Amino acid sequence: MDFESIWSREQNGEQKEENLLRKKMAYPALQQDQKTDVLIVGAGIAGILCAFQLNRAGVDCMIVDKGEPLGGVTKNTTAKITVQHALIYDRILKSYGLEKAQMYYQIYGKAVKEYKKMAETIPCDFEEKTAWVYHTQENGKWEQEIRAYEAIGILYVTEEKPPIPVKTKGALGIEHQAQFHPLKFLTYVLYHLPKTVPIYQNTPVLAVDGHTAKTPNGTITAKHIILATHYPMVNVPGAYFMKLYQHRSYVAALDNGPQLPGMYIDEAENGFSFRNYKNLLFIGGGAHRTGKKGGNYHAVYTLAEQAYPQSPVVAAWAAQDCMSLDGIPYIGVHSKAKPYLYVASGFQKWGMTGAMAASLVLRDCIIHGKSEYETVFSPQRSMWHPQLFINLGVAAADFVVPGKRCSHLGCRLKWNSQEHTWDCPCHGSRFHKDGSVIDNPAKRPVSSKK
């Protein structure tokens, strides 16, 4: 069960009406060749918000998706809207300098404000909350992050004992952030897009050749193409198979859990997150690289049982996130060889705010030929980061070991016994037991035989 499942469990009249509204939104598959100014490949949150921003600016655009809108990773989220992305600012400051650190903060701040403005007219359970990142060890990162906040000009608050079932050393907060129900929000946006924005579902893009996207039942020619496909479907040029890897993390929704005053996340990658949705408490954790061992659901369930034995788990789901080499998303021109092709990926587990930021950046790139923030997110920035060599090492190790192979680039798949899937540790593709594709970059199924 995911956000969509939780939505379907709700019983009041407004939510029943929204469920009926969503059922009405059935889109056709592409049946003939088409032309548009901007083709958006992918009908998740990034693609839908790009279409919204471009349409509002008077740009002709179109959306296609291999499945149904909102049927992919967008519904598997904890749906936090925030400029605070664990401990990111000290790292950006040291790697790229004060100006780019401030630009990163500014564009994400604009994204938060854009959500707040849209939520004034969109019923989506939008709630303003303080975002907190807590730490459990004295490792110096905390003090460095606070100094980075002060240098950048980020207002913050601190808390010595956050009300969560983890022994901490304190928490660092940013006020006036938010949480919401992403499917309610996006369903409304989709439904109110004008008919001049065609949407085609069950229309996989098989290849991009210049300005033309090829699908099973026709081609689409566009001046600009945005790949909002979670993991970019065009790997070369751009070397995204080296620049991206994927992470899985797990969420349990507890019935009648305690009401927390904010949203909480551990600064450690394998820590836990907490936030409420109505009478539910969401606990996230168990994170690991896709295809590798980790805490999985077991870590989340164990904490839930120990900390809140009177609050049963009523839903659970896993998120799949694209991770960049340096902790900053890739938003902008896909590669120098393809200046008409754009990408939005590598949101680092902050896809809700990142997707809105991407829609603002890409809108300006397409309309004005540039964005004042594009240098921060440029997909052409240096690849020389320690994570590159980790990615290459994982790929090398899995190429030489015999076993079931991924249809993407041939890495050895690992059996995920908790989710009963075949997972690729190299690039994060996932397959059902029968070999059909769950998560990209793989496009083709694999053999169902072990």
Side-chain angles (χ1 to χ4, degrees), residues 27 34-36 39-40 51 60-64 193-200:
Y27 302 98
Q34 297 279 5
K35 289 185 178 180
T36 185
L39 171 63
I40 301 165
D60 177 46
C61 59
M62 175 188 299
I63 304 175
V64 298
L193 281 176
K195 299 299 183 183
T196 53
V197 181
I199 300 172
Y200 296 101

Side-chain angles (χ1 to χ4, degrees), residues 32 40 94 104 106 120-121 131 151-152 189 194 217 246-248 265 271 293 301 305 316 336 367 380 414 418 429 443:
Q32 60 185 10
I40 301 165
K94 289 176 178 176
Y104 181 99
Q106 289 165 4
E120 291 175 359
T121 57
I152 295 166
V189 173
N217 296 314
Q246 298 200 57
H247 252 225
R248 289 192 71 67
I265 189 168
K293 293 181 179 180
Y301 288 161
E305 290 169 3
K336 290 181 180 179
I367 295 174
Q380 282 84 58
K414 304 290 182 66
Q418 289 204 24
S429 297
K443 302 175 189 175

Side-chain angles (χ1 to χ4, degrees), residues 69-324:
L70 305 177
V73 300
T74 294
K75 67 181 182 293
N76 299 321
T77 176
T78 52
K80 300 171 185 175
I81 302 170
T82 175
V83 301
Q84 186 198 65
H85 305 154
L87 302 185
I88 184 70
Y89 288 100
D90 179 62
R91 195 187 332 160
I92 298 176
L93 190 62
K94 289 176 178 176
S95 298
Y96 297 108
L98 179 60
E99 182 180 8
K100 288 189 176 180
Q102 289 176 327
M103 290 167 67
Y104 181 99
Y105 172 64
Q106 289 165 4
I107 186 59
Y108 274 94
K110 288 186 176 182
V112 173
K113 290 179 180 178
E114 184 73 1
Y115 272 119
K116 289 182 180 180
K117 183 178 179 181
M118 292 176 69
E120 291 175 359
T121 57
I122 298 177
C124 59
D125 302 324
F126 186 92
E127 296 180 88
E128 193 168 281
K129 295 276 187 175
T130 298
W132 297 94
V133 56
Y134 64 89
H135 65 137
T136 60
Q137 297 180 1
E138 298 289 357
N139 53 19
K141 293 181 180 180
W142 197 250
E143 292 77 13
Q144 293 168 5
E145 188 74 359
I146 289 177
R147 286 195 292 269
Y149 275 32
E150 292 172 346
I152 295 166
I154 302 173
L155 299 178
Y156 66 91
V157 292
T158 59
E159 188 172 35
E160 289 186 7
K161 295 181 179 180
I164 55 177
V166 178
K167 188 176 181 180
T168 76
K169 301 291 184 179
L172 175 64
I174 299 179
E175 297 176 317
H176 309 299
Q177 307 305 289
Q179 60 188 36
F180 74 139
H181 193 306
L183 296 187
K184 290 184 180 182
F185 176 86
L186 292 167
T187 296
Y188 187 96
V189 173
L190 270 176
Y191 188 76
H192 288 85
L193 281 176
K195 299 299 183 183
T196 53
V197 181
I199 300 172
Y200 296 101
Q201 67 181 40
N202 300 322
T203 302
V205 172
L206 305 176
V208 176
D209 184 4
H211 289 264
T212 300
K214 299 179 180 180
T215 80
N217 296 314
T219 62
I220 305 169
T221 303
K223 295 177 183 177
H224 309 275
I225 300 174
I226 296 174
L227 301 180
T229 53
H230 185 61
Y231 195 113
M233 55 168 297
V234 179
N235 268 315
V236 179
Y240 290 93
F241 63 95
M242 298 168 64
K243 295 193 295 191
L244 285 171
Y245 63 106
Q246 298 200 57
H247 252 225
R248 289 192 71 67
S249 53
Y250 305 82
V251 183
L254 279 61
D255 198 19
N256 293 314
Q259 292 293 316
L260 303 178
M263 309 174 293
Y264 295 83
I265 189 168
D266 196 336
E267 62 94 1
E269 192 172 77
N270 60 350
F272 295 94
S273 69
F274 306 86
R275 79 97 148 172
N276 291 102
Y277 172 67
K278 297 187 177 180
N279 67 320
L280 300 176
L281 174 66
F282 293 171
I283 301 179
H288 61 89
R289 182 172 180 141
T290 302
K292 296 293 186 180
K293 293 181 179 180
N296 298 66
Y297 286 111
H298 177 74
V300 178
Y301 288 161
T302 299
L303 178 62
E305 290 169 3
Q306 292 175 348
Y308 307 112
Q310 304 305 316
S311 300
V313 174
V314 294
W317 62 92
Q320 177 95 343
D321 294 284
C322 280
M323 315 293 283
S324 70

